[in-house]
Amino acid sequence: MTLVEVVNEAWGWTGLTATRIIDQSPMGHLVLSDTEDGFFYLDPDGMTIIPLGHEAEAKAHLASDEAKELWSGGALVAEGYKRFGNPPEGSVFTIKPHAMIEGRYEPESLCVMPLDELIRFTGDVAQQIKDFPDGSQIQIEVTD
């Protein structure tokens, strides 16, 4: 299964039908385009998809200091390279799933994960919690 297919399977519930991956960050963030040449930012650890508009609007958004910092991963990515070296092909640095859900974005919470697993996991959790207000208490059940 291609990464575009994984994105559509895991995040299609949002209405997105991705047609291509434009770029990928070291933390597994993706810039995508859809069937109507719209651009989107998939932030897996933030468990969100941000519509960026068409190409010019997407470039303007991605040029902002905030977007550049989010994209680069800053100190977390630097720590990831220090602790783990280069991730294997198809894998990215990310926050361990339990820490991601808790919002603990700290070096101790880093791990390396296959990108397709990260996209599937975050899409599934995001769909399950989409209707809860920020700060809600949730209970995660793990099944095989």
Side-chain angles (χ1 to χ4, degrees):
M1 182 176 280
T2 68
L3 187 56
V4 168
E5 291 169 327
V6 169
V7 167
N8 288 331
E9 180 182 276
W11 289 88
W13 59 269
T14 65
L16 172 67
T17 302
T19 56
R20 65 187 173 128
I21 309 291
I22 306 297
D23 207 356
Q24 172 191 320
S25 82
M27 294 282 292
H29 296 209
L30 301 173
V31 175
L32 312 160
S33 66
D34 70 359
T35 55
E36 298 173 12
D37 291 325
F39 285 71
F40 299 83
Y41 189 104
L42 191 151
D43 178 354
D45 49 286
M47 296 188 196
T48 189
I49 292 181
I50 303 164
L52 301 176
H54 289 285
E55 188 173 4
E57 294 94 352
K59 285 182 178 181
H61 173 83
L62 296 170
S64 75
D65 290 340
E66 182 181 347
K68 286 179 185 177
E69 178 66 20
L70 183 63
W71 183 262
S72 74
L76 285 176
V77 167
E79 182 65 21
Y81 282 116
K82 182 178 167 187
R83 289 176 57 197
F84 305 112
N86 288 328
E89 182 72 28
S91 294
V92 295
F93 299 119
T94 191
I95 302 298
K96 293 175 185 173
H98 68 280
M100 188 183 305
I101 291 167
E102 295 171 359
R104 291 188 295 124
Y105 296 91
E106 53 201 21
E108 298 77 28
S109 299
L110 277 173
C111 67
V112 174
M113 179 183 284
L115 180 57
D116 60 343
E117 287 181 25
L118 176 64
I119 298 302
R120 282 188 181 98
F121 169 76
T122 57
D124 183 40
V125 173
Q127 183 177 19
Q128 292 181 52
I129 65 172
K130 70 183 183 322
D131 296 324
F132 293 114
D134 286 346
S136 294
Q137 295 291 316
I138 61 171
Q139 183 173 346
I140 303 291
E141 292 185 30
V142 178
T143 60
D144 289 329

